[in-house]
Amino acid sequence: DQQVKQNSPSLSVQEGRISILNCDYTNSMFDYFLWYKKYPAEGPTFLISISSIKDKNEDGRFTVFLNKSAKHLSLHIVPSQPGDSAVYFCAASGDPDSWGKLQFGAGTQVVVTP
Amino acid sequence: EADIYQTPRYLVIGTGKKITLECSQTMGHDKMYWYQQDPGMELHLIHYSYGVNSTEKGDLSSESTVSRIRTEHFPLTLESARPSHTSQYLCASSESLSHEQYFGPGTRLTVT
């Protein structure tokens, strides 16, 4: 049973515009959320995270929003750059039965066009 | 900057061979993880360890085994490789009280 879902497998955006990636989760025990970026033939790299006590976290061009009541989070990248073309994974943690382990979504492939 | 290494990066091997995928980290992290990932799919946790001599199976059933004799080293072994084992294997580590995991570059395994 997939507890973290990224329903958009791909996203194409023009350079300079905003990229919005969405993620939904089903387990109400999750209290920490992370976004990872992955280039082909490389491992995922940590991008940004948010704790459930917050509804927004910002780091440069990257902002993550959390809506706990809707069990939804989103990653905004603005402005988008060609180097942002990668697969982005949403991950969640916090279920006491699996402390420290992350549940990942299937990823969204972002392509930034000139 | 995370320092976690995996070898080999790519491996093509025949059915029935025994293989060991190496993973090492120099950060002194207690927690280490192995994930399996196929294209377009989520990362599935297959093994994890919370410290030396501690190993547990993950959420996805796997025929592989792991060992944790030293803090920095977490190898994964397949006794008899099969085509169904073809996948990317990712190793990660994290500090004891942190949610953030650092990933190695992965091993792309192809079993023919």
Side-chain angles (χ1 to χ4, degrees):
Chain A
D1 180 31
Q2 196 173 354
Q3 299 182 61
V4 178
K5 297 179 183 178
Q6 295 176 255
N7 292 318
S8 297
S10 63
L11 172 70
S12 182
V13 63
Q14 266 191 319
E15 182 178 0
R17 305 294 291 267
I18 184 171
S19 295
I20 299 177
L21 291 78
N22 294 303
C23 178
D24 297 293
Y25 61 95
T26 58
N27 189 337
S28 58
M29 300 301 290
F30 288 147
D31 62 3
Y32 200 85
F33 305 88
L34 308 90
W35 285 94
Y36 282 83
K37 177 180 179 179
K38 186 180 184 299
Y39 293 117
E42 293 184 14
T45 55
F46 170 73
L47 201 55
I48 192 169
S49 62
I50 188 167
S51 164
S52 61
I53 62 173
K54 292 185 170 184
D55 55 18
K56 177 182 174 181
N57 189 26
E58 208 170 341
D59 183 2
R61 296 185 298 113
F62 303 93
T63 303
V64 56
F65 296 92
L66 175 62
N67 182 334
K68 284 176 58 180
S69 61
K71 295 192 180 69
H72 177 83
L73 63 154
S74 61
L75 174 68
H76 292 210
I77 307 172
V78 56
S80 298
Q81 299 174 353
D84 296 332
S85 295
V87 177
Y88 291 79
F89 290 96
C90 170
S93 177
D95 183 340
D97 288 339
S98 59
W99 191 86
K101 294 190 286 182
L102 297 178
Q103 295 287 336
F104 283 85
T108 296
Q109 171 78 59
V110 173
V111 175
V112 180
T113 57
Chain B
E1 186 74 22
D3 293 314
I4 181 163
Y5 308 97
Q6 290 186 245
T7 56
R9 293 290 311 278
Y10 302 91
L11 179 62
V12 180
I13 201 161
T15 297
K17 299 291 186 183
K18 177 180 178 179
I19 60 170
T20 296
L21 307 184
E22 302 288 348
C23 176
S24 295
Q25 50 97 3
T26 59
M27 298 167 284
H29 289 170
D30 286 326
K31 294 192 287 188
M32 295 190 74
Y33 310 83
W34 275 103
Y35 292 88
Q36 186 174 339
Q37 194 223 352
D38 295 314
M41 304 292 289
E42 61 266 41
L43 281 69
H44 289 288
L45 182 69
I46 52 175
H47 297 283
Y48 62 100
S49 167
Y50 284 165
V52 171
N53 294 324
S54 149
T55 62
E56 300 285 345
K57 287 195 177 291
D59 304 323
L60 181 70
S61 176
S62 174
E63 293 167 348
S64 59
T65 59
V66 292
S67 62
R68 189 89 183 277
I69 298 172
R70 304 196 316 263
T71 299
E72 62 271 22
H73 196 212
F74 192 40
L76 180 147
T77 299
L78 273 167
E79 290 292 334
S80 180
R82 295 188 291 159
S84 61
H85 297 138
T86 294
S87 189
Q88 184 178 38
Y89 292 83
L90 293 159
C91 180
S93 70
S94 68
E95 296 179 19
S96 294
L97 299 178
S98 173
H99 294 275
E100 184 182 330
Q101 295 181 15
Y102 296 91
F103 283 83
T107 294
R108 169 81 53 193
L109 173 66
T110 302
V111 183
T112 60

